[in-house]
Amino acid sequence: MVTSNDIRATFLNYFGRNGHQIVPSAPLVPRNDPTLMFTAAGMVPFKNVFTGQEKRPYTRATSSQKCVRAGGKHNDLDNVGYTARHHTFFEMLGNFSFGDYFKEQAILHAWTLLTKDFALPKEKLLITVYHTDDDAANLWKKIAGLPDEKIIRIATDDNFWRMGDTGPCGPCSEIFYDHGPSIAGGPPGSPDEDGDRFIEIWNLVFMQYEESANGRTDLPRPSIDTGMGLERFAAILQGKHDNYDTDTLRALILASAEETGQDPDGSFKTSHRVVADHLRAASFLMADGVLPSNEGRGYVLRRIMRRAMRHAHMMGAKEPLMYRLVPALTRQMGQAFPELNQAEALITETLQLEENRFRAMLDRGITLLKDESANIASGGALPGAVAFKLYDTYGFPLDLTQDALREEGKSVDVAGFNTAMAEQKARARAAWAGSGEAATETVWFELNEQLGSTEFLGYSTETAEGAITALVVDGKPTTEALPGQNVFVILNQTPFYAESGGQVGDTGFITGPDNLRIRVTDTQKKLGGLFVHIGVVEAGTARVGQAVVAELDHDRRGKIRAHHSATHLLHEALRRALGAHVTQKGSLNAPDRLRFDISQPRPVTTE
C-alpha cells in the first residue's frame, strides 16, 4: 500500500525534478500575516511573494505545509470526529509559480503527476473551471484530452479565488475523483453535488488579476498557487472513502484503542477519531512554540487538548491518555517533520500536565453537566448561566459543553452564556475601579478587556508582522500618533519580550507604510498579558489598524539571552557548591549584566 509518507515524497520529488525549490513547511503561527491565527493554507507562507513585498531566490516552489483550522476565520473544530474529511490539523501539498509559468504548465504538471506518477485512471477524473475561463477549458481539452462533459463550468465563487477584498485573485480549476456509481452523489454543479461519489482532490488557482477599489486589472506577472489535501488524496490512493481510515490516522486510532481497550470501530469510534486528530494538532502546535494558556492561540490549543481529553474520559481512560500516544505520532510523522522529534519531551510533559489538571476538574464538571441537563428534553437548551459556571469554575470552554450536549441532541443558551460573561466583566471592572493606586491605569484594564492578551512570538522569531490594535498618548487611547510624540503601542502579536521574570523588555523598531518608524525603548507587560511597546514616533503617522513589522534589537537580545542562560548556570553551580537548599529569590537579566538573588541561611565564604 502506498503510504502518506510515500505520497508526500512523490509529490515533492516530482516538482523538485521540474525546477521547483522544495521548501520546508513554515510554522503553524504565521510570521507574515497578522490577520491569521494559524497557517490554514499552503500559500500563506508565500503571501508576500505573490504580492511583491518579498523577493526569494527562486520563482518556483513546492511544499507540504502544516495547516490548522481551529480558530479565527477558519474553524473546523466542531465537526472533527463526526465527518469523514474534517480535521483541525492537515497537510496541504502545493506547487507555486511566482510570475514564472502559468496555466498551461500548471495543468500539464497536475495531469502528468496524477495519471503517470500516481497512476490514477484518466476516466476517474473530471475537471471544473470558472465559467468564463475559456483558456483553462481549452487547455484541459488539449493536454488531458477530456471531453466537454468532463470539463464542467462553474459560475460561483467556488471556482474564483480571492486573497481578500482587494489584492491578487483569479479563476480556479478543481480536479475531482469519481468513486463510481456505487457511491451516492452527483458531479460538481449538480443538485446532489454534496454526495461522496465525486471528491475534490486538487485545486489549481490561476492568479491573474489585481482587485482594487477601482476595479479589476491584469497582473503584470500572473502566478500559480495549488493545493492538494494529503489526507484526502491518501484516502483515494489507499482505496478508502474516509480520511480516518488512511494509514497515519488509522495508526493513531489503533494506538488509542490499545491504550483504552475500546474497539476502534465500535461505539467510541468518534472519540478515537477526535483523539487522533487532536493529538496531531496539539503536538504540532506545541512543536511550533504554542503552549496552552487562557488567551489567543494558547487558548485554542487548550480547547483542542481538552476536547480530546474529554473523549478519553468518556472511553474510560483512568489515567492521562494523550501523552502516551506521542511515540505513535512521532513514528508516523517524525521523519518528515523533525521538529516533532526535537519537541517530543516538551509535548509529552505538557500533555500529561494539562490532562492531570483537567481531570481534576472534569469529574466535577461532568457531574454538574449531567445533573443540570438531565431534565432537558432532546432539542432543548442548557441555561447559559450553567454553561458559564462550567467555563468559569471548571475550565469547560463553551464549545466543549456544546460538544457534550450535541451527542444528546441538546444545545446551549448562548445568549444567556454571553450575558453571564458580561456580568462577570462588569463586576471585575467595578473591583478594578476601587483598587486604589492601580486605578490610575484603568486604561490598560479597558484595553485588555477589549483586545485580550498579546500573542508573543519571540521564542521562535525576532521579526514578525503585526497589526496595531491600540495607541496610547498622554495616558489616553487615540486612533493615531504623530511624529515626535511619545506613544504606547499595542500589537496583536509581537516578537518583543515584555519585562518579566527578571528579564528586561526588548527594544527595537516598529515600521510600516508611508515611512512609519517608531523607536521602541522598552516593552512592558500590563495585566499579565498585554504587551505595551513604549517609544517615540520618529517618522510617519501611526494609526490603529495598520499592518506593521516589529523587529527587535538582535544584538541586545543576544546579550540578554546570554545573561539569562548564565543565571541558570549560576543557580546550578551554587546548588552544587552550597547545597540543594539554594533557590532563586530574584534576578535581573539585562544586556550589560546579570544579578541573581538566592536564599542562603549563612554568609557565603570566599572559598
Side-chain angles (χ1 to χ4, degrees), residues 18 24 69 76 80 125 153 240-241 356 367 375 381 422 483 501 560:
N18 285 277
R69 292 185 178 175
D76 289 337
V80 171
L125 301 174
R153 293 177 182 259
K240 309 294 183 182
H241 295 293
N356 277 323
T367 299
N375 297 322
I560 295 170

Side-chain angles (χ1 to χ4, degrees), residues 92-402:
M92 187 68 79
L93 302 169
N95 60 289
F96 310 91
S97 163
F98 312 116
D100 187 72
Y101 61 84
F102 197 44
K103 290 182 188 179
E104 183 168 8
Q105 194 74 30
I107 289 171
L108 178 61
H109 280 316
W111 190 251
T112 302
L113 181 56
L114 289 177
T115 59
K116 293 186 177 179
D117 293 60
F118 286 120
L120 286 180
K122 296 179 181 180
E123 63 272 13
K124 287 284 192 179
L125 301 174
L126 60 83
I127 309 299
T128 65
V129 297
Y130 193 57
H131 67 119
T132 60
D133 193 357
D134 295 332
D135 290 343
N138 292 331
L139 284 167
W140 277 113
K141 270 188 183 182
K142 170 187 167 184
I143 293 168
L146 291 173
D148 287 339
E149 62 268 21
K150 286 210 167 185
I151 303 174
I152 302 170
R153 293 177 182 259
I154 302 291
T156 67
D157 279 353
D158 286 348
N159 276 70
F160 197 93
W161 179 90
R162 290 176 173 82
M163 188 177 285
D165 293 336
T166 60
C169 61
C172 309
S173 189
E174 295 180 330
I175 305 170
F176 286 77
Y177 181 83
D178 180 2
H179 278 293
S182 62
I183 305 296
S190 68
D192 53 349
E193 65 179 359
D194 291 333
D196 282 339
R197 176 175 172 178
F198 295 90
I199 300 298
E200 179 205 335
I201 55 176
W202 203 349
N203 186 17
L204 315 181
V205 176
F206 309 128
M207 222 178 285
Q208 64 188 90
Y209 304 117
E210 175 83 17
E211 193 84 62
S212 70
N214 298 321
R216 186 178 296 169
T217 56
D218 290 338
L219 281 173
R221 299 175 69 224
S223 297
I224 293 293
D225 156 31
T226 85
M228 173 196 283
L230 175 59
E231 293 78 7
R232 183 176 291 199
F233 192 52
I236 288 168
L237 292 185
Q238 294 173 12
K240 309 294 183 182
H241 295 293
D242 191 318
N243 292 7
Y244 288 92
D245 289 334
T246 57
D247 60 317
T248 299
L249 285 163
R250 185 65 178 174
L252 300 180
I253 286 169
L254 292 176
S256 171
E258 183 177 354
E259 290 288 349
T260 59
Q262 298 291 354
D263 182 353
D265 303 306
S267 58
F268 289 108
K269 179 178 179 179
T270 295
S271 293
H272 286 305
R273 290 171 170 227
V274 170
V275 167
D277 175 273
H278 291 9
L279 173 71
R280 293 209 304 172
S283 298
F284 274 99
L285 283 169
M286 285 186 277
D288 281 347
V290 181
L291 292 175
S293 70
N294 291 326
E295 296 283 350
R297 295 184 177 100
Y299 178 63
V300 175
L301 169 60
R302 180 165 278 164
R303 285 171 57 197
I304 293 170
M305 294 165 69
R306 290 188 169 184
R307 187 169 187 259
M309 290 165 183
R310 187 185 73 82
H311 280 273
H313 183 271
M314 286 167 54
M315 290 191 286
K318 301 300 182 187
E319 299 294 332
L321 169 68
M322 298 284 286
Y323 83 96
R324 301 204 303 272
L325 303 179
V326 174
L329 175 61
T330 55
R331 282 196 300 272
Q332 291 294 316
M333 304 187 73
Q335 184 174 355
F337 298 100
E339 63 268 29
L340 269 185
N341 299 319
Q342 294 161 7
E344 184 172 359
L346 170 68
I347 294 166
T348 302
E349 182 181 356
T350 305
L351 283 170
Q352 185 176 15
L353 181 64
E354 279 290 309
E355 194 159 0
N356 277 323
R357 286 174 175 167
F358 188 49
R359 288 175 72 88
M361 298 182 290
L362 189 60
D363 287 328
R364 296 193 299 273
I366 290 290
T367 299
L368 173 65
L369 181 57
K370 284 182 177 177
D371 290 345
E372 294 287 348
S373 64
N375 297 322
I376 299 174
S378 181
L382 183 77
V386 176
F388 181 75
K389 182 178 179 181
L390 282 165
Y391 162 77
D392 195 39
T393 306
Y394 300 105
F396 273 53
L398 176 60
D399 65 311
L400 196 66
T401 302
Q402 290 172 313

Side-chain angles (χ1 to χ4, degrees), residues 53-75:
Q53 294 174 263
E54 179 186 350
K55 298 293 182 185
R56 297 202 184 181
Y58 47 81
T59 56
R60 301 180 176 194
T62 185
S63 67
S64 182
Q65 176 61 46
K66 302 175 293 189
C67 299
V68 162
R69 292 185 178 175
K73 302 176 187 175
H74 308 286
N75 189 359

